[in-house]
Amino acid sequence: MATRSPWPRPLSLPCCCLLLLALGGPGFFQSHAVEVDVKDLSNNTCIYAKWMMSFLIKYETNSSEYKNVTLKPSTNVTHDGSTCGNNTHAPLLAIQFGAGHSWSINFTKTNETYQGNIISFTYNTNDAVFKDAKTKGPITIVVNDSMHPVQLNTVYKCHHLDSIEVANVSLFFWDVILQAFVQNGTVSKHDSTCEADKSTVAPTTVANLTTAPITTASSPLPTTTSKPVEKPLIGNYSLKDGNKTCLLATMGLQLNVSQEKPVLININPKTTNVTGSCGNTSATLRLSDSNRMFIDFTFAVKNTSANTQRFYLKEVNITLISSINGSEPLNAGNNNLSIWDTFLGSSYMCQKEQTVLVTEDLQIHTFDLRIQPFKVQDNKYSKAQECSLDDDTILIPIIVGAALAGLIVIIVIAYIIGRRKTYAGYQTL
């Protein structure tokens, strides 16, 4: 517990429960900072909170594909239902935003501590951002995720980005400042810092991921010798539909992140969890590391002719919860890919290193890749279609063609020189 300067009090209006909402917060998770001042009937503050939040929602479309949508509280936030609580109802902090979305958390206390526990989130797929959603209307998820108890008359602070994942929703929140059960209407001057902030020292790693700086010709030489980045370990991943394997993936993964300082991140398959979904025309493979990192690969099926179908990698979404080099957490995606393309019922293979461009500041390097997201038979890969980088047979005609072209050039040059000498001989005569 540490002392801090007096709390900067927000503007307030006399009402039963008032929420003041402010904007701010740049970064990859750019969102609107929500500042909340809940007051009782006597216009005394009972709950104060200021935090950043973002929601990543995966939903199914009418074509059985899966898409991702990010929701962030915006300027049209309301606060219906927020209350200081009474003898029968717990204090509740509730906000509503966008086209029918809402979020709330209630608080309980003991003689010495308070904590938030039950979180409820409702998102409305009638919102235009849920394009072609198969299920229309509000969808509510409830999770009992108790925060660590905080001493009464103390402000809880946590800069560290944390997450809660339930069903198809990932909730991210960071830069949290909170005090429930405010005494005498005055927010405390004493802080209680979360354990994640206490243990954060010059962040150079992301969860259990291996990181190392990228050096370039224009970069200054490091003052100490650093171990070069090794090739990532190859992981074997699979999904099941019931007792049947429906997706197979083998690959080494390395992220190339260019924030304030470029960083290479090797994904460790030994600490990576596998989830996702299989479908007839769409499939998603989600790799996560202790809920600190998420990588979603979304595959789709396309018809190239009446009797021919192919699959390809359509979309990649990446979320890094822990910061890199002290910068903001990262959330990025590319939903306009068309790579790893091969016939449906086959597998795609590329042993050479490939680069998947997610954004200008984020790329994925793959090694020893083999993937089959559809029509897996007997838990085994089907015949592989090799990428052009692996197909050494195309080098033979290229080499032969280059040699013939060079020979033709030599013959033409020799012919021209011979003609000039002959012509010069005629001239002397």
Side-chain angles (χ1 to χ4, degrees):
M1 185 179 298
T3 59
R4 64 188 296 274
S5 59
W7 192 284
R9 295 302 300 274
L11 298 174
S12 61
L13 297 174
C15 62
C16 177
C17 293
L18 174 93
L19 279 76
L20 177 71
L21 304 151
L23 306 182
F28 282 97
F29 264 78
Q30 187 170 3
S31 181
H32 296 276
V34 182
E35 186 176 8
V36 177
D37 189 359
V38 182
K39 296 181 180 293
D40 60 20
L41 292 173
S42 300
N43 203 32
N44 292 321
T45 298
C46 62
I47 302 174
Y48 182 89
K50 185 177 181 180
W51 76 101
M52 304 282 285
M53 70 180 347
S54 180
F55 305 89
L56 180 64
I57 303 168
K58 183 177 180 179
Y59 71 98
E60 186 177 6
T61 67
N62 286 317
S63 57
S64 297
E65 295 182 346
Y66 285 87
K67 294 184 178 181
N68 291 295
V69 164
T70 299
L71 294 180
K72 306 168 187 177
S74 56
T75 54
N76 60 336
V77 180
T78 58
H79 52 82
D80 296 339
S82 294
T83 176
C84 295
N86 51 40
N87 293 332
T88 58
H89 294 88
L92 179 71
L93 173 60
I95 64 171
Q96 301 82 38
F97 62 96
H101 316 302
S102 62
W103 178 87
S104 68
I105 181 172
N106 69 357
F107 299 94
T108 58
K109 71 172 181 176
T110 64
N111 292 331
E112 299 180 351
T113 64
Y114 69 90
Q115 64 183 141
N117 42 34
I118 299 177
I119 295 175
S120 176
F121 172 55
T122 297
Y123 60 97
N124 185 8
T125 55
N126 286 319
D127 190 341
V129 298
F130 293 93
K131 298 178 180 179
D132 195 33
K134 185 175 183 179
T135 302
K136 291 292 187 179
I139 299 174
T140 300
I141 60 170
V142 178
V143 57
N144 190 347
D145 190 89
S146 298
M147 61 181 284
H148 188 76
V150 181
Q151 289 291 321
L152 288 171
N153 198 31
T154 303
V155 176
Y156 172 79
K157 295 181 66 177
C158 196
H159 174 74
H160 186 82
L161 190 144
D162 206 346
S163 68
I164 298 174
E165 184 177 10
V166 58
N168 291 327
V169 177
S170 297
L171 163 63
F172 306 99
F173 49 95
W174 65 103
D175 287 346
V176 176
I177 301 173
L178 166 69
Q179 184 181 358
F181 302 98
V182 176
Q183 298 179 12
N184 301 320
T186 303
V187 177
S188 177
K189 298 179 183 179
H190 301 286
D191 294 342
S192 176
T193 304
C194 66
E195 292 299 323
D197 283 359
K198 293 178 182 178
S199 60
T200 301
V201 179
T204 57
T205 60
V206 179
N208 295 322
L209 311 183
T210 304
T211 67
I214 301 173
T215 58
T216 62
S218 59
S219 302
L221 293 175
T223 55
T224 58
T225 303
S226 60
K227 183 179 179 180
V229 178
E230 299 178 352
K231 183 178 177 181
L233 296 175
I234 306 302
N236 294 301
Y237 312 105
S238 64
L239 293 177
K240 287 185 176 292
D241 185 6
N243 295 324
K244 183 179 178 182
T245 299
C246 57
L247 183 149
L248 290 171
T250 301
M251 53 187 159
L253 289 173
Q254 185 181 82
L255 303 185
N256 186 337
V257 185
S258 301
Q259 288 182 280
E260 294 183 2
K261 294 182 180 179
V263 173
L264 287 178
I265 305 170
N266 284 346
I267 308 303
N268 185 357
K270 296 180 180 179
T271 60
T272 299
N273 297 319
V274 184
T275 56
S277 59
C278 295
N280 294 328
T281 60
S282 178
T284 297
L285 172 66
R286 164 169 281 195
L287 304 179
S288 62
D289 190 309
S290 302
N291 287 333
R292 314 308 302 168
M293 171 276 295
F294 302 93
I295 304 178
D296 287 357
F297 297 95
T298 299
F299 302 88
V301 174
K302 62 181 178 180
N303 296 320
T304 55
S305 66
N307 298 318
T308 304
Q309 290 183 310
R310 301 177 70 91
F311 76 81
Y312 64 102
L313 178 64
K314 180 180 181 180
E315 182 175 351
V316 172
N317 287 279
I318 297 177
T319 300
L320 297 180
I321 307 302
S322 298
S323 59
I324 302 172
N325 293 329
S327 59
E328 292 290 334
L330 184 151
N331 178 233
N334 186 343
N335 60 2
N336 194 31
L337 295 171
S338 184
I339 58 175
W340 303 354
D341 186 317
T342 192
F343 292 102
L344 191 65
S346 301
S347 62
Y348 175 86
M349 182 170 67
C350 197
Q351 295 178 327
K352 300 291 179 63
E353 178 181 351
Q354 284 188 303
T355 298
V356 180
L357 181 64
V358 182
T359 67
E360 292 183 358
D361 297 323
L362 177 61
Q363 296 86 42
I364 301 176
H365 303 302
T366 64
F367 303 81
D368 296 322
L369 169 72
R370 190 167 187 180
I371 185 78
Q372 187 171 349
F374 304 100
K375 294 191 174 182
V376 176
Q377 300 293 330
D378 300 325
N379 302 331
K380 298 179 181 179
Y381 283 110
S382 300
K383 182 179 179 181
Q385 172 69 45
E386 296 187 41
C387 66
S388 58
L389 294 174
D390 287 351
D391 193 356
D392 294 334
T393 59
I394 65 174
L395 294 177
I396 297 176
I398 291 176
I399 294 172
V400 173
L404 290 175
L407 180 61
I408 292 172
V409 170
I410 293 173
I411 293 173
V412 171
I413 292 174
Y415 173 76
I416 293 174
I417 294 174
R419 290 279 296 175
R420 286 181 177 178
K421 288 183 176 179
T422 303
Y423 180 74
Y426 284 132
Q427 290 289 93
T428 57
L429 295 176

